[in-house]
Amino acid sequence: MPDLAALELLLAVARLGSLGRAAREVGITQPAASGRIRSMERQLGVALVDRSPRGSRLTEAGALVTDWARRIVEAAEAFDVGAQALRDRRDSRLRVAASMTIAEYLLPGWLIALRARLPDTAVSLIAGNSAVVAGQLLGGQADVGFVEGVGVPAGLDGVVVAQDRLVVVVAPGHVWARRRVPLGAAELSATPLILREEGSGTRAVLEAALGALARPLLELSSTTAVKSAAVSGAGPAVLSELAVGEELAARRLVRIPVEGVRLRRELRAVWPVGHVPVGPVRELLSLTRGAP
Amino acid sequence: MPDLAALELLLAVARLGSLGRAAREVGITQPAASGRIRSMERQLGVALVDRSPRGSRLTEAGALVTDWARRIVEAAEAFDVGAQALRDRRDSRLRVAASMTIAEYLLPGWLIALRARLPDTAVSLIAGNSAVVAGQLLGGQADVGFVEGVGVPAGLDGVVVAQDRLVVVVAPGHVWARRRVPLGAAELSATPLILREEGSGTRAVLEAALGALARPLLELSSTTAVKSAAVSGAGPAVLSELAVGEELAARRLVRIPVEGVRLRRELRAVWPVGHVPVGPVRELLSLTRGAP
DNA sequence: GACACTCATAACCCCAGGTTATGCCCTCAT
DNA sequence: ATGAGGGCATAACCTGGGGTTATGAGTGTC
């Protein structure tokens, strides 16, 4: 498996049309770039770039590989911006406190977009539940927060920035994967499901929407664990749409349509009452408005 | 930036709850794993795992980082399975020929799923346009093909496995990003757009749906180039929904609803007339049925 | 024909990350 | 209590991948 730096180099070559220029962009010398690309081609067993005395162009296979690589590099960029926010807890100009779900799935994308607009704004991130977020804001340790669930914590103002829908998913092998009729509320509430433990946000929403729930098939302590169990065919699970996007795209999970149930919760940006968002906070909010 | 192997190690630690066991799983020794995690914590400036004499558990920050890391590793897995298919052109048991769009966006996911069901089936991939795919199939160099566009090439049978929708997108700063009324066909066809060059599949679909088109704002030669131009605010672009999923999620692009135009094309699995799909081909098709 | 650009090759060098060997800490069973 | 065993850290050592500089060869362009 080639490493991240090599993939970035490949993207640079694709964009700039020359090994040497790509090398300069990623901060290495031309022979180093030449060698890296070659060793990558050896690893993959396919020629990736056509060298010519007046530049380098991607081959067919190279274009394909590059597009796959781009996805890795983009995920790495999200990781990087998130990690940086986690690290820079000191004297950041924009301090964000966010719930886990938001920090995990939405924030990196927002931060990448924010960096495009305000490249020099250092951002710091603290992740925690609603109470933690409220505490950070009221204690003056954060400038803006993001929470999920019903209502705004006391002492805070807020706006809805996104909707989180819960979806019912099963592994592709499950009988439900073949059904074409939407699931009804009655049937859903009568079926044992894979769920988070009692008290979790998603479970609360589900219980509120359905009233009674059948005894869970499995109770697990993290979203990831629920997802893995569902992927491996243990049974149907109910999860945030945000959490299963990749799995649905890759067909590791299949979404089962549901009708007659309202499985949404609001994701809100919040700030202390009276603090009208200005500056970087305002900028960040303008990015999030209308997000999925 | 930590490297891929380190991220995989972190995921293993999260899953197994012990540095030593994680080390064994990824094929290194315990001190090596210990060192890698530590150097990663140094890089990120955050403690990721709580070591105790009876195992290691992720910290809060560690859980967040791990979830971000998981996305990178999953993208890398898709890369890997694709790259392997590209390499193993010799004596593979399942030879797939696919159009670029499908090879790029859908096939890796299918191959991961297929590997879960048939771990020992070597898959090879050839990417090309419809004519290439048809040639490969009729010449006996491929077992199954995937093509986009209207109709099935002569001599082949096929089924629709997915719909590809074209979407209108703009950068978040564009005026259209604020509009709430759907775009009409007339308005769309009167607006200069960023498009692929004449003759490309997506452009053909657009022209078929709209009749006349305004002179393009920009004509570029790859989907990626169109996307980059749109992201950097050059203007509205029309692209396959498959190509812009990430950008929409990360708010680098905003989708503009359109009404009164049918912007779809079918993605089909194809095979030589008479060759009823059996074995691995049948298995692969069962995975793709009903995909987005 | 000189220059400017491409890429490749060769010789050298360094350190990140691996290994083995060992010790400390804690828990649990005898 | 006391060893056995699992879990982690530290230390000393080794290796090779990937970097560097220096140079040459091919192709346009002025």
Side-chain angles (χ1 to χ4, degrees), chain A residues 92-109:
Chain A
S92 308
R93 298 209 22 235
L94 176 59
R95 298 161 304 165
V96 179
S99 77
M100 270 299 190
T101 306
I102 293 172
E104 197 180 329
Y105 295 104
L106 296 175
L107 209 59

Side-chain angles (χ1 to χ4, degrees), chain B residues 72-90:
Chain B
I72 304 181
V73 171
E74 278 167 6
E77 195 184 357
F79 179 102
D80 194 43
V81 71
Q84 215 147 2
L86 224 43
R87 170 177 46 234
D88 294 350
R89 209 156 280 192
R90 320 215 49 66

Side-chain angles (χ1 to χ4, degrees), chain B residues 42-89:
Chain B
R42 222 188 23 250
Q43 280 184 325
L44 301 182
V46 184
L48 298 175
V49 307
D50 263 338
R51 286 93 161 153
S52 89
R54 39 185 235 287
S56 294
R57 210 77 215 122
L58 292 180
T59 61
E60 280 274 305
L64 201 50
V65 167
T66 302
D67 282 316
W68 294 333
R70 186 169 292 113
R71 287 227 245 319
I72 304 181
V73 171
E74 278 167 6
E77 195 184 357
F79 179 102
D80 194 43
V81 71
Q84 215 147 2
L86 224 43
R87 170 177 46 234
D88 294 350
R89 209 156 280 192

Side-chain angles (χ1 to χ4, degrees), chain A residues 147-199:
Chain A
V147 297
E148 54 215 26
V150 294
V152 176
L156 303 180
D157 267 349
V159 297
V160 173
V161 295
Q163 300 277 344
D164 183 22
R165 268 185 293 276
L166 299 186
V167 296
V168 180
V169 294
V170 296
H174 194 277
V175 283
W176 280 6
R178 306 236 177 276
R179 69 181 282 160
R180 285 287 173 263
V181 258
L183 216 52
E187 193 172 2
L188 183 57
S189 64
T191 305
L193 300 168
I194 307 172
L195 295 174
R196 289 283 302 277
E197 76 287 352
E198 189 90 36

Side-chain angles (χ1 to χ4, degrees), chain A residues 19-20 34 51 53 56:
Chain A
L19 289 186
S34 188
R51 285 94 160 154
S56 293

Side-chain angles (χ1 to χ4, degrees), chain A residues 51-184:
Chain A
R51 285 94 160 154
S52 88
R54 39 185 233 289
S56 293
R57 211 75 215 124
L58 291 181
T59 61
E60 280 275 303
L64 202 51
V65 166
T66 302
D67 282 316
W68 293 332
R70 186 168 293 113
R71 285 225 247 319
I72 303 182
V73 170
E74 277 166 8
E77 195 185 356
F79 179 101
D80 194 42
V81 71
Q84 215 147 1
L86 223 42
R87 170 179 44 234
D88 294 349
R89 209 156 284 190
R90 319 216 48 67
D91 31 280
S92 308
R93 298 209 22 235
L94 176 59
R95 298 161 304 165
V96 179
S99 77
M100 270 299 190
T101 306
I102 293 172
E104 197 180 329
Y105 295 104
L106 296 175
L107 209 59
W110 295 342
L111 294 185
I112 289 175
L114 184 66
R115 195 181 49 184
R117 300 229 201 145
L118 304 174
D120 297 326
T121 300
V123 178
S124 74
L125 167 64
I126 289 164
N129 60 27
S130 296
V132 171
V133 171
Q136 295 282 330
L137 287 169
L138 295 173
Q141 290 119 43
D143 303 310
V144 64
F146 293 93
V147 297
E148 54 215 26
V150 294
V152 176
L156 303 180
D157 267 349
V159 297
V160 173
V161 295
Q163 300 277 344
D164 183 22
R165 268 185 293 276
L166 299 186
V167 296
V168 180
V169 294
V170 296
H174 194 277
V175 283
W176 280 6
R178 306 236 177 276
R179 69 181 282 160
R180 285 287 173 263
V181 258
L183 216 52

Side-chain angles (χ1 to χ4, degrees), chain B residues 64-142:
Chain B
L64 201 50
V65 167
T66 302
D67 282 316
W68 294 333
R70 186 169 292 113
R71 287 227 245 319
I72 304 181
V73 171
E74 278 167 6
E77 195 184 357
F79 179 102
D80 194 43
V81 71
Q84 215 147 2
L86 224 43
R87 170 177 46 234
D88 294 350
R89 209 156 280 192
R90 320 215 49 66
D91 33 279
S92 308
R93 297 208 25 234
L94 174 60
R95 298 161 305 166
V96 179
S99 77
M100 270 298 188
T101 305
I102 294 171
E104 198 180 327
Y105 295 104
L106 296 174
L107 209 59
W110 294 342
L111 294 185
I112 289 174
L114 184 66
R115 194 181 50 185
R117 301 231 199 143
L118 304 173
D120 298 326
T121 300
V123 179
S124 74
L125 166 64
I126 289 164
N129 60 28
S130 295
V132 170
V133 171
Q136 294 282 332
L137 288 168
L138 295 172
Q141 290 121 43

